[in-house]
Amino acid sequence: MTDAIRTPDEVLEGIPDFPFQPSFREWDGLRLAHLDQGQGQPVLFFHGEPTWSFLWRKVMPPVLEAGYRCIAPDLPGFGRSDKPVELEWYSYDRHTAAVAPLLEELDVRDAIVVVQDWGGPIGLRWAVENPDRAGALAILNTGLFTGRVSKGFLAWRNFAERNPDLPVGFVIQGATATELPDEVVAAYEAPFPNPESKAGAAQFPLIVPTSDDAVGAADMGRVLEALGSWDRPALVAFSDSDPVFPYPRAGQVFCDAIPTAGEQVKIEGAAHFLQEDRGKEIAEAILERLG
C-alpha cells in the first residue's frame, strides 16, 4: 500500500472565491479529488505544480456561464488528493495513468482540453491517446520536454532541488505578474500541511527530462509527433512574462507542430501562472477560438 498523506478536509474549507465542491474516487490505493461542475460539452482543466484545481477558479466561471461542463482533477500529490511521501512514486507515466480512468468513468466526449505547466505533458498525452474523447486543445505556458529546456527552467529546477521543503506560496507569488493577496497565497499552501506532503511538489521539477535519453523524453517526443496529426481545433496562448516558457519561442513549438493551431495568442501582463494574472482573458480566448 502506498504511504500517503491526506490533507484534512477542513483545512481546505472556506477557500476564497472557490465555491466548488469536490468529488472523490479511489485509484491505486489513493483517494483522488476532482471538480465536476455544470452541464454541456466538457472542458478539462489540467493543473501543473505546485498548484491544484484552485488555479482555475478565475477561468472556470465564464466557461460555466457559457454553458459548458468544467472538470478539473487534482493530480496525486496535490490539492485535495492524497500525497504519496516517496519521491520515487512520482512519474510521468503514473500521473497520466491516474487521469485516464477518471475521464473514462465520467464518459468524457468531445472535450476541450486546457493544459498548463505539468498539465501539458499529462493532458496532451491523454488527448492524443484518447482521440475519441478529446475534441480541442488549449495550450498555455507549458512544454513537451525532449531534452532541451530553457535557462529559466534550469534556474527553477536548481531552486527546487535545493529546497525539498518547497516554499509553495513564495513560488506562486514569484511566478505571477500581480501581487496575490495573503489569503490566496495561503490557499496554495493549504494542501501541504508538512514537508512530507510536498514530495510531489519537490519531485516534479526533477523528473522533467533535461537530456534526450532521460526518462520521459521519448514519451513526450511521441506526444509532440502525434500532435502533428491533430485535425481538430487548437489554441496556443502564452504569457509575455514567463522566463520558464518564454514568449514567443516556447509556444511557437506547438504552433509549428499542430496543423490547426494558427497564430499564437500573447497574453499580456501575465507571468507563468497566467490564470492568476489574466484568468478572464484566458476564458474568453478559449470560448472565442474553441467554443
Side-chain angles (χ1 to χ4, degrees), residues 53 66 122 129 148 170 172 184 188 211 230 265 267-268 288:
S53 54
I122 294 166
E129 291 179 354
R148 297 181 63 185
F170 173 82
I172 302 293
V184 170
Y188 281 112
S211 64
W230 186 264
V265 174
I267 306 296
E268 297 185 1
E288 180 180 345

Side-chain angles (χ1 to χ4, degrees), residues 112-115 124 136-140 230 232-238 251 254-255 258 260-267 281-290:
I112 298 173
V113 181
V114 187
V115 302
L124 294 175
L137 305 175
I139 302 171
L140 318 169
W230 186 264
R232 281 151 281 178
L235 164 70
V236 178
F238 278 55
F254 291 105
C255 292
I258 303 172
T260 57
E263 186 176 350
Q264 182 177 181
V265 174
K266 178 167 70 171
I267 306 296
E281 183 178 342
I282 292 165
E284 290 170 350
I286 292 169
L287 294 171
E288 180 180 345
R289 180 76 71 87
L290 307 177

Side-chain angles (χ1 to χ4, degrees), residues 97-136:
V99 168
L102 167 66
L103 301 179
E104 185 174 348
E105 180 183 319
L106 296 178
D107 196 27
V108 166
R109 303 280 176 180
D110 194 30
I112 298 173
V113 181
V114 187
V115 302
Q116 190 259 339
D117 193 88
W118 255 105
I122 294 166
L124 294 175
R125 182 174 176 179
W126 176 84
V128 301
E129 291 179 354
N130 295 272
D132 57 325
R133 298 186 181 277

Side-chain angles (χ1 to χ4, degrees), residues 16 111 142 159 177 199 213 218 224 285:
T142 189
F159 176 84
D213 59 349
L224 190 61

Side-chain angles (χ1 to χ4, degrees), residues 170-222:
F170 173 82
V171 168
I172 302 293
Q173 187 75 273
T176 57
T178 47
E179 185 74 15
L180 301 182
D182 291 345
E183 59 268 24
V184 170
V185 174
Y188 281 112
E189 293 178 332
F192 306 105
N194 52 40
E196 291 75 22
S197 65
K198 299 179 183 180
Q203 187 71 349
F204 259 49
L206 308 187
I207 62 175
V208 169
T210 55
S211 64
D212 58 10
D213 59 349
V215 174
D219 292 320
M220 294 197 198
R222 281 190 285 272

